[in-house]
């Protein structure tokens, strides 16, 4: 499945502006034959928007979700996007997967919140593995800091995730996560990992870009630079199967030895 990574911070504070950016990217992705477009963490509203997080938060099936579904259907490309999700009085840092025909397939709430900003504005999710089948692949969702916990990614591997999609807001000076950790996570768990970042300065944060899609062989299939960019790479189910057969990490595990980890 050809996958498009939208490295952009969009228009922080403007849902309408970000939907326009997403629409334009979806058009380019569809024209390039992509089956999936991935946008960064909190793309719908912007990340460093302070108390506007709560003001702009919407339900998973709210007006903006309908707008994204319309964009996906019009361009014939599935979309993953980050947004602040309101559920009653609680706000989650969430990512949603919408199919190419506009159906909401999966919604994930970030389980590991990073820093005071996130802990002040969000409630952590409680479900670590959220998946949906798309384009011959089982697609799983995590968000940014979540992927830095090996337990999260291994849980996805054991649940059969083939392509782990990670909208992120990775900031300076932690660029080694994109450069080094993501290919290792892909290799040690025998899956593709699509890590899609914001760019530029937002408030106190400087986002570093470097979005990448790494394969189960640990090789980055594409890597963006430090600016606004739309990059493409393929996630091949056949390669996942062949790589898992050649590399027995998952079958050679000895879970009885790992009890102390939890």
């Amino acid at each position: 499945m050809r996958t498009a990574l939208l490295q952009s911070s969009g228009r922080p504070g403007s849902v309408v502006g970000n939907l326009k950016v997403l629409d334009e990217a979806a058009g380019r992705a569809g024209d390039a034959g992509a089956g999936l477009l991935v946008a960064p963490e909190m793309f719908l509203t912007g990340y460093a928007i302070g108390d506007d997080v709560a003001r702009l938060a919407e339900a998973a099936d709210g007006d903006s979700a309908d707008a994204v579904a319309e964009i996906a259907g019009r361009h014939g490309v599935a979309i993953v996007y980050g947004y602040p999700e309101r559920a009653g009085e609680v706000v989650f840092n969430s990512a949603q997967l919408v199919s190419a025909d506009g159906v909401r397939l999966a919604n994930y709430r970030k389980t590991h919140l990073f820093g005071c900003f996130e802990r002040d504005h969000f409630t952590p999710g409680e479900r670590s593995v959220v998946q949906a089948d798309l384009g011959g692949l089982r697609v799983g969702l995590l968000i940014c800091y979540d992927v830095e916990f090996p337990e999260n990614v291994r849980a996805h591997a054991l649940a059969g995730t083939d392509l782990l999609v990670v909208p992120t807001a990775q900031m300076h000076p932690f660029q080694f996560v994109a450069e080094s950790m993501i290919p290792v996570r892909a290799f040690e768990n025998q899956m593709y990992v699509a890590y899609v970042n914001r760019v530029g300065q937002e408030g106190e944060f400087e986002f570093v870009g470097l979005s990448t899609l790494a394969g189960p062989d640990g090789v980055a299939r594409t890597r963006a630079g430090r600016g606004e960019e739309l990059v493409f790479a393929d996630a091949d189910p056949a390669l996942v199967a062949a790589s898992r057969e050649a590399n027995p990490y998952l079958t050679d595990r000895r879970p009885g030895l790992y009890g102390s980890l939890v």
Side-chain angles (χ1 to χ4, degrees):
M1 179 172 63
R2 192 154 177 77
T3 303
L5 315 183
L6 173 58
Q7 179 167 285
S8 172
S9 287
R11 308 291 180 263
S14 174
V15 173
V16 170
N18 292 323
L19 287 171
K20 289 180 179 178
V21 174
L22 190 66
D23 190 8
E24 188 272 340
R28 292 169 59 195
D31 290 345
L36 175 64
L37 169 66
V38 184
E41 180 177 5
M42 291 284 288
F43 184 77
L44 185 65
T45 60
Y47 181 89
I49 57 173
D51 291 340
D52 280 348
V53 167
R55 182 178 67 85
L56 296 175
E58 296 186 28
D61 60 353
D63 290 344
S64 292
D66 290 342
V68 174
E70 190 277 332
I71 291 169
R74 179 156 40 83
H75 295 293
V77 59
I79 296 174
V80 171
Y81 67 101
Y83 73 109
E85 178 193 355
R86 177 168 295 283
E89 296 302 311
V90 176
V91 177
F92 299 98
N93 184 337
S94 296
Q96 186 147 234
L97 168 61
V98 178
S99 74
D101 53 4
V103 176
R104 292 186 299 110
L105 297 179
N107 188 70
Y108 171 75
R109 296 165 172 173
K110 189 174 186 177
T111 55
H112 295 72
L113 301 180
F114 179 79
C116 295
F117 174 79
E118 291 192 8
R119 289 192 289 268
D120 287 346
H121 289 91
F122 300 107
T123 295
E126 296 295 333
R127 187 178 174 191
S128 60
V129 177
V130 173
Q131 301 167 308
D133 292 329
L134 184 74
L137 296 161
R138 179 154 293 176
V139 176
L141 300 174
L142 291 177
I143 299 174
C144 198
Y145 194 41
D146 290 328
V147 80
E148 298 177 36
F149 292 81
E151 300 89 343
N152 279 339
V153 188
R154 182 52 53 88
H156 269 276
L158 296 176
T161 294
D162 301 310
L163 170 59
L164 183 62
V165 174
V166 189
T168 190
Q170 181 64 65
M171 56 197 70
H172 179 80
F174 306 112
Q175 49 265 33
F176 68 89
V177 174
E179 293 171 336
S180 302
M181 184 182 291
I182 295 305
V184 170
R185 286 284 182 269
F187 181 73
E188 69 190 2
N189 290 288
Q190 290 299 288
M191 61 174 63
Y192 287 95
V193 180
Y195 187 79
V196 185
N197 200 10
R198 306 178 69 84
V199 290
Q201 194 78 31
E202 288 183 48
E204 63 185 291
F205 306 115
E206 179 190 349
F207 299 114
V208 299
L210 303 175
S211 299
T212 188
L213 191 151
D217 52 4
V219 175
R221 296 304 193 273
T222 188
R223 187 181 298 281
R226 298 295 187 99
E228 301 261 341
E229 200 167 349
L230 184 68
V231 297
F232 297 86
D234 294 325
D236 182 0
L239 178 61
V240 173
S243 187
R244 287 173 179 168
E245 184 174 350
N247 187 328
Y249 275 153
L250 300 181
T251 55
D252 284 353
R253 294 171 64 254
R254 297 182 62 191
L257 300 178
Y258 311 147
S260 63
L261 295 178
V262 294

